[in-house]
Amino acid sequence: RMCSRFGDYRREDPASFQLAPQISLYPQFIFNLRRSQFVQVFNFSPDETAHFRMCLNRVPCSDALAMIQPTLMSYGFQGPPEPALLDVASIAPDRILLLDTFFHTVVFHGQTVAQWREAKYQEQPEHAAFKALLEAPQSDAASIVDTRFPSPRFVDCDQN
């Protein structure tokens, strides 16, 4: 019903369907809401469910959106951080991902980036760009953790 009201399409041509730009993210948002801890209570205690729902009702709209649909930022050498899809396809060996789920903040290093970090390339002066790449998601994650209440759990991990 929603798609017939807000979508544009030609009869007998399923490939012509498209949603208006203002509502194009709505299906993805509902997908994430239906799988969130606010609707799916399986594997959560009643206390946890009550806590999550109370937090959802008390935070500003921007934080509530982060609770329902987490944000994923991708950091790389190609340019400034850019939003990435919440999909396994966003994982790349030369990227660093910052996931903000409101209750958790995760910095994920791709395999190549993790190997370079373990080899201490960031300490060499000729690899200043790599050092800046490592510091950018860490500082963004620190600002998220410092400004949010309740403070999210911070996780720093590597691929493989």
Side-chain angles (χ1 to χ4, degrees):
R1 192 183 303 180
M2 185 209 71
C3 289
S4 66
R5 182 173 184 152
F6 295 105
D8 295 325
Y9 60 94
R10 291 185 305 268
R11 289 188 185 271
E12 306 299 326
D13 185 11
S16 69
F17 177 78
Q18 69 190 117
L19 287 171
Q22 300 88 347
I23 199 144
S24 63
L25 295 177
Y26 182 74
Q28 182 180 1
F29 181 77
I30 293 300
F31 175 85
N32 287 309
L33 175 64
R34 291 185 67 203
R35 283 151 184 81
S36 70
Q37 65 266 28
F38 308 111
V39 177
Q40 293 288 331
V41 295
F42 179 73
N43 206 22
F44 291 105
S45 71
D47 290 341
E48 287 175 313
T49 301
H51 168 73
F52 290 137
R53 290 180 178 175
M54 183 211 49
C55 286
L56 179 67
N57 289 330
R58 299 188 81 171
V59 297
C61 185
S62 61
D63 289 343
L65 289 173
M67 286 182 189
I68 294 169
Q69 184 168 342
T71 59
L72 182 65
M73 297 298 291
S74 177
Y75 296 78
F77 291 110
Q78 293 81 5
E82 56 189 23
L85 293 174
L86 289 169
D87 191 56
V88 72
S90 298
I91 297 174
D94 63 338
R95 309 290 284 171
I96 300 175
L97 300 175
L98 173 62
L99 176 69
D100 178 17
T101 68
F102 188 84
F103 297 107
H104 298 88
T105 302
V106 179
V107 175
F108 176 85
H109 300 90
Q111 187 174 13
T112 305
V113 172
Q115 290 171 347
W116 291 347
R117 189 190 66 225
E118 295 298 321
K120 307 256 189 247
Y121 284 0
Q122 70 273 15
E123 295 174 2
Q124 299 172 7
E126 62 269 13
H127 296 291
F130 179 64
K131 182 177 182 178
L133 176 66
L134 286 177
E135 291 173 351
Q138 295 291 341
S139 65
D140 291 348
S143 69
I144 291 170
V145 170
D146 291 342
T147 59
R148 186 167 294 155
F149 183 80
S151 181
R153 180 176 295 161
F154 177 73
V155 178
D156 193 356
C157 59
D158 299 335
Q159 185 177 9
N160 296 341

